[in-house]
Amino acid sequence: GDSVTQMEGPVTLSEEAFLTINCTYTATGYPSLFWYVQYPGEGLQLLLKATKADDKGSNKGFEATYRKETTSFHLEKGSVQVSDSAVYFCALAKTSYDKVIFGPGTSLSVIP
Amino acid sequence: SQTIHQWPATLVQPVGSPLSLECTVEGTSNPNLYWYRQAAGRGLQLLFYSVGIGQISSEVPQNLSASRPQDRQFILSSKKLLLSDSGFYLCAWGVVQETQYFGPGTRLLVL
């Protein structure tokens, strides 16, 4: 079945370091891909999304490109801040079913 | 704009007691509704989802049940809580292949 795989972490980075969180997916057809972020004690919120191959989603300095040839949607940020400390979830959704498939989440901790 | 409410925010319940968590959505009609659970340090586990009033799909056999008595109301229940029911419960709404919008969550501690 369809699935999402991502590095589980925890990932610890110093402030201003470069961030990459890998996400790969297995799915038939043409899913939409998402990154959600969960700050401590809160619900998830959408960070960015891409709906077709080669689309780049971007928000708050984060970027991810939908690569169909490698079935990947890696999250990147050039310079992380302490306020980026959170759990990041990669996810996919398709028109053929009503639910979203989430990866296991990657915990990021940014230290000053 | 759409808003999603969950209550209570925090709940401490003894083992064997009943549970009722409520989720309501404003600003949208006929949304898909979802209940997730997140155990400490773990990922999201989809518990139930609903595509319409009275339509409930269960993802994992367990001690919980869900109901959707109105279009924008989704309730998670249990007749007798277990220790393993402790966790962070998240309600969400969405449409097919689009963004899901999450509520603020309910933190449940079963003692």
Side-chain angles (χ1 to χ4, degrees):
Chain A
D2 297 344
S3 65
V4 175
T5 302
Q6 60 178 114
M7 49 195 294
E8 292 197 32
V11 175
T12 302
L13 294 174
S14 297
E15 206 165 19
E16 299 183 2
F18 184 84
L19 169 71
T20 299
I21 300 178
N22 289 338
C23 170
T24 56
Y25 68 92
T26 301
T28 57
Y30 302 93
S32 293
L33 301 175
F34 305 83
W35 277 102
Y36 287 84
V37 59
Q38 183 181 31
Y39 298 104
E42 299 182 7
L44 281 71
Q45 55 185 279
L46 179 70
L47 181 59
L48 53 85
K49 68 178 183 181
T51 57
K52 60 183 188 296
D54 300 324
D55 268 2
K56 178 186 283 187
S58 62
N59 185 27
K60 299 181 182 180
F62 291 89
E63 292 183 340
T65 302
Y66 188 163
R67 302 284 189 203
K68 194 159 179 68
E69 64 275 14
T70 55
T71 62
S72 65
F73 193 53
H74 305 321
L75 183 68
E76 297 182 337
K77 186 175 185 182
S79 175
V80 294
Q81 305 300 312
V82 172
S83 57
D84 294 326
S85 298
V87 180
Y88 293 81
F89 292 89
C90 187
L92 72 83
K94 287 164 55 172
T95 54
S96 55
Y97 43 69
D98 297 303
K99 56 189 179 182
V100 174
I101 295 177
F102 285 90
T106 300
S107 175
L108 170 66
S109 184
V110 180
I111 55 176
Chain B
S1 64
Q2 303 88 358
T3 307
I4 181 166
H5 302 280
Q6 279 188 252
W7 64 90
T10 305
L11 192 59
V12 181
Q13 292 285 100
V15 169
S17 64
L19 173 73
S20 180
L21 302 181
E22 189 162 343
C23 171
T24 58
V25 180
E26 296 176 3
T28 185
S29 295
N30 197 29
N32 287 355
L33 296 174
Y34 305 84
W35 277 112
Y36 294 89
R37 177 170 59 202
Q38 195 174 26
R42 304 286 295 276
L44 289 174
Q45 179 185 34
L46 178 63
L47 302 175
F48 302 93
Y49 68 95
S50 171
V51 300
I53 295 174
Q55 300 179 62
I56 308 295
S57 296
S58 174
E59 287 293 295
V60 183
Q62 59 206 315
N63 185 41
L64 302 169
S65 61
S67 62
R68 185 170 178 175
Q70 300 179 42
D71 181 43
R72 288 171 283 182
Q73 184 184 29
F74 204 24
I75 297 172
L76 183 69
S77 304
S78 173
K79 293 182 179 178
K80 288 186 178 182
L81 284 168
L82 306 172
L83 286 174
S84 57
D85 291 325
S86 293
F88 191 45
Y89 288 82
L90 289 163
C91 180
W93 76 269
V95 296
V96 172
Q97 204 165 359
E98 293 295 329
T99 303
Q100 285 206 340
Y101 298 91
F102 286 79
T106 294
R107 194 163 302 281
L108 172 66
L109 179 61
V110 182
L111 300 175

